[in-house]
Amino acid sequence: MTLFFRLGWFFRAHRATYLAALAMLAGVAALNMAIPWLVARAVDRLVTATSGLASVYPLLLLLLGAGVAIYLLRYGWRKTLYGTSYRLGHHLRRRFYQRLCTQGQAFYATHNTGDLMARATNDIDAIEMAAGEGILSGFDGLMTFVLVLLMMFVAIDWRLALVALIPFPIMGWQFYRISSAIHHQFQKALEAFSALNDRTQEAMTGIRLVRAMGLEQQQDEAFGRISSEAADTNYQVARSEAKYEPVVFLCMSASLLLTLGYGAWLIHARELSVGQLTGFTLYLSQLIWPMFAFGWLLNIVERGSAALKRVDALLDTPDTVHDSGTATPADTRLTVDQLAFRYADDQAPALQGVSFQLAPGQLLGIAGPTGGGKTTLLQLLMRYWEIAPAAAIRLGEKALADYRLPLLRQCFAYVPQDPFLFSLSIADNIALGRPDASPEQIREAARLADIDGDIARFPRGYDTPVGERGVTLSGGQRQRIAIARALLTAAPILILDDALSAVDLATEQRILNQLRQVLQQRTAIIVSHRLSSLRDADLTLVLAHGEVLERGRHSQLLALDGWYARMWTYQQLEEELEQEQPAEVVNDA
C-alpha cells in the first residue's frame, strides 16, 4: 500500500472531495447493511403474523427508501471520486510534459520517444485508476466487510459467524500470492508496451524509407515479434487476475456450505430462527463484494505501483541542463574561449580548443568536413548541453549558466538542417514563435525566405495544412518555411545550421541576398557546406575533428591554400560544369 503514501501529497491537497466521497460511500455501506436486517424482520413477521401483510408494509417502504438513497449516494460518490482521480492524471501529465520541456539533449539521447509516450499515457492511466477505483475498492470493501461482520456477530449469532469465516484465511493467503505475481508481471507488461510503442513510432516515421527499400516483410516480422512479446506479458497479467474470481467463489461457497449446515443445526436446536438464518445468508452474500473489492484493490494497486515507479523515475531524473541562472540577457556579444566538450560515451573530444568572438551585427561562417563538430558547437551556444568550465562560452560579460534558460533560448532563432513543422497551416508554422504576427508580417518573412511564390501556388495559400512533420512539402520548402519562422521572431541571433542544403544554388543566392538587409540588425551564424554562402562572413571557422583548422575572412582563407581553398576550387569547377551541361545537351540535339 506504499502507493497511497507516495500519492499522499495529492490526497492531502484534495482531502475535502475525498472525504465527501468517502462519506457517501459510508452511507451506501450503512444502507446496504440495513437491507438484510429489514428483510429478516419482514420474513419473521410473515412467518408469525396473523393479520396478513399489513405489518410488512412499513418495512417495504423502508426498503424502497433505502434503495432510492443508495442510488443517489452512488451517483454522488462516483462523480466526486472519479472526477478527483482524473485531476491526478491531468496533474501528472502536466508535470511530465514540463519535465520533458526542461530536459536537455543528453536526456533525449538515452530515452526513446515511444517509451516516453507509454509512460505519459498507459502508466499514468494505471496511477489514475489506483487513485480512483483503488480508493473506492479499499474503503468501500473495508467498510462493508466491517459492518457485515458486526451485523453477523452482534445482531445475529457470533458462533455462526465464526464458522462462516473459517475459509477466509485461505482466501487471504491466495490473494497475497496472486498480487505478488501481478506486480512483477505488470512491470514487464509496461516495459513491453514501451518497446511496442518505440517500434510503432519508428515504423510510422520511417514508412517512406521502408517502402523505398522494400523492407515491409522484415519490418512486419520484427513488429510481430515485439507485438507477440507484449501480448504474452499481458496474457500473464490477465491469467493471474483471473485467479481472483475462482478463489473468491470457492471460499465463499465453502463458507455458505458451513453456514447452512451449522445454521440448520442451530434452528433444529431452537437457538436460531429461520428469519435470522435468512438474514445471515444475505449478509454472507454481501461479503462477496468486499472479497472482490480486496482482490481488485490488490490488482490495481500493484499495477499503479509498478507504473508510479516508472513515472517517478522520469520525474526524478535530474535536469541535464540546470536552470539556476537569474540574469536577463542584454548584450548579445558572443565570446568562446578555449571551448572543449566531450559526449558521455565518446573517447575522443567533440570539440577542443575552440575560440572566437562575435560582436552584434556580425556574420560568423562555419565550414568543415562532416563530423567536425559544427552542430555540437551550435548546440553548446544555445546551452543544450552543460559545459565545464561554464565561462568557456559567454554572452556579454556573463557565462551562459548565469542567465535564465528560457530567456537565453529566446536570444536565438535556430534553423536546423532537418527542420520540424507541426501539423498546422503554413501561416501557423511561420508564426509559431510570434503568434500575434499580422498576415503582412508573415508574408514578408516568407518573401525574405523565398517561399512566398511557392505558397501562392497552393490552392489554399497560407492556410494550407502541411501534414505531420510537413510531409506534404518538399525538403527545400520545409527549410524555407523554417527560415521564415526564424526571421519572424525578434531573436537577435540567427543560426542557420546547413539550412539551405535542400535548395538549389540560385535559390540559395536569392535567399542570402534578401537576408543581407535583415542581417544588418542581427547577429548571424551560418553553417554551410556551400562555401559561396560564407563569402561575405566577417569570420569563417573551418572545423575538423573538433578543432579549428583555419580561420579568417574569405580572401584570407583562400590565401592559406588549405581545406577551404581546395573546397572552394572544387565547388567552383562543379558550378561551371553544371552551367555548361545544358548547352552541351542542346548542341548534341
Side-chain angles (χ1 to χ4, degrees):
M1 295 298 174
T2 56
L3 171 70
F4 296 119
F5 290 103
R6 291 163 66 185
L7 293 176
W9 58 270
F10 179 79
F11 298 139
R12 287 190 294 272
H14 296 84
R15 57 181 174 271
T17 53
Y18 271 104
L19 288 174
L22 295 180
M24 286 184 278
L25 278 169
V28 171
L31 289 171
N32 280 330
M33 295 306 100
I35 290 176
W37 182 83
L38 291 172
V39 171
R41 294 290 301 275
V43 170
D44 282 340
R45 286 190 182 184
L46 286 173
V47 171
T48 60
T50 58
S51 57
L53 299 177
S55 62
V56 182
Y57 288 150
L59 296 176
L60 295 179
L61 289 176
L62 288 175
L63 284 171
L64 178 62
V68 173
I70 289 173
Y71 172 81
L72 295 175
L73 288 173
R74 282 187 184 277
Y75 173 79
W77 71 249
R78 283 177 182 274
K79 182 178 179 181
T80 304
L81 186 59
Y82 289 148
T84 307
S85 69
Y86 295 152
R87 292 193 191 101
L88 173 61
H90 170 69
H91 180 80
L92 287 176
R93 288 188 176 92
R94 286 197 62 185
R95 283 184 58 195
F96 194 93
Y97 180 76
Q98 290 167 356
R99 292 295 295 124
L100 295 183
C101 289
T102 57
Q103 289 290 359
Q105 296 292 94
F107 173 85
Y108 291 101
T110 57
H111 290 80
N112 295 328
T113 303
D115 176 60
L116 297 177
M117 289 295 296
R119 298 189 195 212
T121 54
N122 205 43
D123 291 30
I124 292 181
D125 282 344
I127 300 169
E128 185 180 283
M129 180 178 290
E133 295 195 24
I135 295 294
L136 159 67
S137 303
F139 182 81
D140 193 34
L142 180 62
M143 176 70 68
T144 303
F145 184 73
V146 171
L147 290 177
V148 167
L149 289 184
L150 283 175
M151 296 299 293
M152 291 167 64
F153 274 90
V154 177
I156 300 182
D157 191 284
W158 64 271
R159 298 168 298 174
L160 187 59
L162 285 176
V163 170
L165 292 179
I166 290 175
F168 279 60
I170 301 174
M171 189 189 310
W173 175 61
Q174 289 295 325
F175 278 4
Y176 172 76
R177 291 186 58 192
I178 296 170
S179 64
S180 298
I182 286 177
H183 179 84
H184 300 292
Q185 291 166 352
F186 192 66
Q187 179 78 27
K188 294 179 180 179
L190 291 174
E191 293 170 357
F193 183 75
S194 292
L196 184 63
N197 253 19
D198 280 333
R199 171 61 71 172
T200 303
Q201 186 267 336
E202 290 177 356
M204 298 302 293
T205 304
I207 188 64
R208 289 184 174 181
L209 177 63
V210 170
R211 289 177 176 174
M213 299 186 66
L215 300 176
E216 291 91 345
Q217 183 65 29
Q218 294 91 322
Q219 290 295 314
D220 180 65
E221 292 174 357
F223 184 85
R225 287 192 296 271
I226 296 176
S227 179
S228 178
E229 291 174 3
D232 288 342
T233 56
N234 281 285
Y235 171 74
Q236 295 298 325
V237 174
R239 190 172 67 172
S240 294
E241 291 174 350
K243 295 177 181 178
Y244 280 118
E245 187 171 339
V247 168
V248 171
F249 275 111
L250 286 174
C251 291
M252 292 303 298
S253 297
S255 180
L256 180 61
L257 180 63
L258 292 173
T259 297
L260 292 176
Y262 186 61
W265 184 85
L266 290 176
I267 291 174
H268 178 72
R270 299 184 181 277
E271 297 181 14
L272 193 72
S273 69
V274 175
Q276 286 178 314
L277 180 59
T278 303
F280 190 92
T281 55
L282 289 175
Y283 281 122
L284 187 62
S285 66
Q286 288 203 14
L287 282 181
I288 294 177
W289 157 242
M291 296 305 101
F292 273 117
F294 293 150
W296 182 236
L297 171 65
L298 293 173
N299 179 14
I300 60 178
V301 164
E302 294 302 337
R303 284 170 171 260
S305 297
L308 187 60
K309 286 180 182 179
R310 284 164 45 89
V311 173
D312 277 349
L314 188 140
L315 294 177
D316 295 338
T317 301
D319 291 337
T320 54
V321 177
H322 299 284
D323 186 13
S324 56
T326 57
T328 300
D331 184 358
T332 58
R333 183 175 70 259
L334 275 171
T335 303
V336 178
D337 184 18
Q338 294 298 311
L339 174 63
F341 178 75
R342 185 194 307 270
Y343 289 105
D345 298 330
D346 290 349
Q347 298 294 327
L351 292 173
Q352 184 69 38
V354 177
S355 300
F356 64 87
Q357 288 187 347
L358 188 62
Q362 287 188 325
L363 170 59
L364 172 66
I366 303 178
T370 302
K374 300 183 289 296
T375 298
T376 299
L377 174 59
L378 299 181
Q379 292 181 349
L380 292 177
L381 293 178
M382 294 179 288
R383 203 168 172 238
Y384 286 179
W385 303 82
E386 290 284 23
I387 58 171
I393 303 179
R394 297 190 300 277
L395 185 65
E397 298 298 329
K398 297 180 180 293
L400 298 184
D402 294 335
Y403 296 104
R404 292 179 57 195
L405 195 57
L407 297 180
L408 174 67
R409 299 272 174 80
Q410 289 176 8
C411 292
F412 297 91
Y414 177 49
V415 184
Q417 180 178 358
D418 184 19
F420 184 91
L421 299 183
F422 290 89
S423 300
L424 305 170
S425 68
I426 292 176
D428 290 335
N429 270 284
I430 294 176
L432 188 66
R434 191 178 167 187
D436 59 341
S438 66
E440 292 74 17
Q441 292 170 325
I442 294 174
R443 282 195 292 269
E444 176 61 17
R447 185 191 66 80
L448 292 173
D450 199 48
I451 189 64
D452 182 60
D454 289 23
I455 297 174
R457 287 190 288 272
F458 293 142
R460 297 177 60 182
Y462 282 85
D463 294 327
T464 302
V466 302
E468 187 177 5
R469 300 177 64 93
V471 68
T472 61
L473 305 175
S474 69
Q477 289 171 335
R478 289 197 297 270
Q479 284 187 335
R480 284 177 285 164
I481 288 175
I483 292 173
R485 179 168 60 196
L487 294 175
L488 189 60
T489 65
I493 303 175
L494 175 65
I495 298 180
L496 305 180
D497 185 5
D498 212 8
L500 297 172
S501 59
V503 302
D504 57 75
L505 183 61
T507 303
E508 178 186 39
Q509 291 304 316
R510 285 199 304 272
I511 295 173
L512 292 174
N513 290 335
Q514 291 166 169
L515 288 181
R516 285 193 178 94
Q517 57 180 304
V518 178
L519 298 183
Q520 291 176 0
Q521 295 87 29
R522 303 170 79 167
T523 305
I525 302 175
I526 298 179
V527 174
S528 180
H529 288 91
R530 290 178 182 166
L531 301 186
S532 57
S533 304
L534 313 178
R535 186 164 44 191
D536 298 328
D538 297 290
L539 172 66
T540 296
L541 304 178
V542 176
L543 283 178
H545 307 295
E547 299 182 3
V548 179
L549 296 184
E550 304 169 25
R551 70 171 61 229
R553 297 179 67 90
H554 176 70
S555 58
Q556 295 170 330
L557 291 171
L558 290 179
L560 291 175
D561 196 24
W563 183 94
Y564 186 95
R566 293 193 300 272
M567 187 58 65
W568 172 264
T569 302
Y570 172 79
Q571 291 182 3
Q572 292 301 303
L573 290 173
E574 191 177 49
E575 290 177 16
E576 291 177 3
L577 290 174
E578 289 179 357
Q579 294 173 359
E580 292 175 0
Q581 187 174 358
E584 294 176 359
V585 172
V586 172
N587 292 335
D588 291 342

